[in-house]
Amino acid sequence: DAGITQSPRHKVTETGTPVTLRCHQTENHRYMYWYRQDPGHGLRLIHYSYGVKDTDKGEVSDGYSVSRSKTEDFLLTLESATSSQTSVYFCAISESIQGGYTFGSGTRLTVV
Amino acid sequence: QQQVKQSPQSLIVQKGGISIINCAYENTAFDYFPWYQQFPGKGPALLIAIRPDVSEKKEGRFTISFNKSAKQFSLHIMDSQPGDSATYFCAASRVDTGRRALTFGSGTRLQVQP
């Protein structure tokens, strides 16, 4: 989708293990976002980035950390996965602060 | 704290009918209101967006109506088609300390019956 790739697409992991999800873009967009999607909650913002090494917390950031060492990559890490973090995770990119987002295809994460 | 409330949760419309999805927001500082469409297994895609300086925006069969005083906005899909069957999300954003990120509603699953 418009030069944005999420990996892996599916992952099953055990409670207590660390997990890293990757978002890679080829659009050279400055702004990148991580959301989680759960039934009845829509999409909730986890973390976002305004550039390399410039990140900020969203409304549901507890238990998650992010890193952006290159413009094209935005990594989301679950430090110690819990069952409540079972969800579909979406990365989004935006060219400008005023504009709409382009979303990736998502990563379905199951924590057992 | 749900800053953007969306209704209904699900909607069934006959082919050719009008689909209407409503959203209400609390923060008067919101200044950008997009709608996203999501098909199963895909990420959401931007459908149409509006800013509060206009009351209506139309793109093809899709129209956003915006009521600033009521803090409400809605999506109207005219001549609904089975291909419109998807989940729709409203969203809103504002500039906060020089930052902006979208806040989404909870979504509406639309089913258009042939």
Side-chain angles (χ1 to χ4, degrees):
Chain A
D1 289 305
I4 178 171
T5 305
Q6 291 186 234
S7 59
R9 290 297 312 276
H10 302 271
K11 185 172 182 65
V12 180
T13 192
E14 293 184 351
T15 300
T17 61
V19 177
T20 295
L21 309 183
R22 182 187 184 221
C23 179
H24 178 77
Q25 60 140 333
T26 58
E27 304 296 316
N28 200 36
H29 287 176
R30 176 181 175 184
Y31 307 99
M32 299 186 75
Y33 308 83
W34 277 107
Y35 285 85
R36 59 177 290 174
Q37 183 175 16
D38 304 288
H41 292 277
L43 295 117
R44 292 180 292 174
L45 181 67
I46 306 172
H47 282 280
Y48 58 107
S49 171
Y50 267 36
V52 173
K53 292 184 170 53
D54 184 2
T55 64
D56 210 345
K57 295 179 179 180
E59 62 178 300
V60 292
S61 61
D62 287 349
Y64 302 94
S65 63
V66 289
S67 67
R68 192 167 178 200
S69 59
K70 299 184 291 184
T71 298
E72 58 266 35
D73 289 324
F74 193 29
L75 304 179
L76 177 70
T77 297
L78 289 66
E79 304 291 345
S80 177
T82 67
S83 59
S84 65
Q85 294 176 311
T86 292
S87 186
V88 180
Y89 291 85
F90 285 100
C91 176
I93 60 175
S94 179
E95 186 175 13
S96 75
I97 193 173
Q98 301 286 347
Y101 296 176
T102 299
F103 281 86
S105 298
T107 294
R108 182 173 294 276
L109 177 68
T110 302
V111 184
V112 298
Chain B
Q1 181 185 5
Q2 189 177 6
Q3 296 194 57
V4 181
K5 296 182 179 181
Q6 185 172 344
S7 64
Q9 189 173 9
S10 63
L11 180 63
I12 299 175
V13 173
Q14 296 298 313
K15 178 182 177 181
I18 302 173
S19 303
I20 301 175
I21 304 170
N22 301 298
C23 282
Y25 62 97
E26 299 169 2
N27 192 330
T28 55
F30 283 146
D31 63 357
Y32 173 66
F33 303 90
W35 284 89
Y36 283 78
Q37 179 188 56
Q38 184 182 30
F39 293 105
K42 303 291 186 181
L46 179 63
L47 191 61
I48 186 172
I50 197 168
R51 298 193 187 275
D53 52 341
V54 296
S55 61
E56 185 175 282
K57 183 174 181 180
K58 183 176 181 179
E59 290 184 2
R61 297 184 293 109
F62 300 91
T63 299
I64 298 179
S65 296
F66 184 79
N67 186 328
K68 189 173 182 178
S69 61
K71 294 187 289 184
Q72 295 177 347
F73 59 110
S74 60
L75 176 69
H76 296 236
I77 306 174
M78 312 300 288
D79 186 26
S80 297
Q81 299 297 312
D84 297 330
S85 297
T87 299
Y88 293 81
F89 294 96
C90 63
S93 72
R94 63 184 173 94
V95 175
D96 184 11
T97 62
R99 306 261 159 163
R100 178 188 292 271
L102 286 173
T103 297
F104 285 84
S106 55
T108 296
R109 178 174 287 187
L110 171 66
Q111 182 180 348
V112 181
Q113 294 185 333

